[in-house]
Amino acid sequence: MTGRTRSRLDRMRASVGIAQLALQQIEDDLSADDVDAVELAAILRELQEDVDVPDGLFPSLAQLLTTAARRAEQIEPDRDGDASCPLHEAAALLTDNAGQRLNWAARSLDPQGDAA
């Protein structure tokens, strides 16, 4: 492994660590005894589409996987999709499947919140 690759992996590990801390904070907030249906719905909507940041958590994760898939397409030995296809599928599952389910749950908890 080259020094440049090691530095890239070190940065990635640090970034994942920061993301895990942020996700732990979200989990702690979700576990609070005073979270009601409206607030939980709002939190779920933020995970899917944050109004302050382009996209949301799930779309951002899907974009990260899509970027990895595109890179895999370029470096796969036979360009057979063995690496890139699962990555594209994982990205689609996040946006199409998981994201839609977040929307359904939020709508169920707070139907009026869709208009907000």
Side-chain angles (χ1 to χ4, degrees), residues 37 41 44-45 101-112 114:
L44 295 175
R45 287 185 181 100
R101 281 168 171 68
L102 277 180
N103 289 336
W104 290 338
R107 192 174 301 127
S108 174
L109 290 164
D110 180 26
Q112 303 304 317
D114 282 334

Side-chain angles (χ1 to χ4, degrees), residues 6-7 9 13 17 24-25 28 30 34 37 43 51-52 55 59 63-64 74 80-81 97 99 113 116:
R6 180 166 293 131
S7 295
L9 286 174
R13 286 183 185 122
Q24 183 60 54
Q25 180 61 54
D28 292 348
L30 287 169
D34 61 343
I43 292 168
V51 295
D52 296 327
D55 296 324
Q63 180 60 42
L64 185 144
Q74 296 171 350
D80 55 9
N97 221 319

Side-chain angles (χ1 to χ4, degrees), residues 72-80 82-83:
E73 288 169 355
Q74 296 171 350
I75 61 176
E76 287 174 315
D78 298 325
R79 298 197 185 270
D80 55 9
D82 283 349

Side-chain angles (χ1 to χ4, degrees), residues 77-98:
D78 298 325
R79 298 197 185 270
D80 55 9
D82 283 349
S84 59
C85 283
L87 291 168
H88 281 299
E89 289 169 1
L93 285 172
L94 278 173
T95 54
D96 299 344
N97 221 319

Side-chain angles (χ1 to χ4, degrees), residues 4 20 28 38-39 41 50 65 67 69 81 100 115:
R4 184 175 52 193
Q20 287 173 322
D28 292 348
V38 172
E39 186 175 13
D50 186 338
L65 291 172
T67 300
Q100 187 59 43

Side-chain angles (χ1 to χ4, degrees), residues 46-73:
E46 287 292 318
L47 292 174
Q48 177 58 15
E49 187 173 330
D50 186 338
V51 295
D52 296 327
V53 179
D55 296 324
L57 176 63
F58 278 35
S60 294
L61 289 172
Q63 180 60 42
L64 185 144
L65 291 172
T66 298
T67 300
R70 289 183 183 140
R71 184 65 186 135
E73 288 169 355

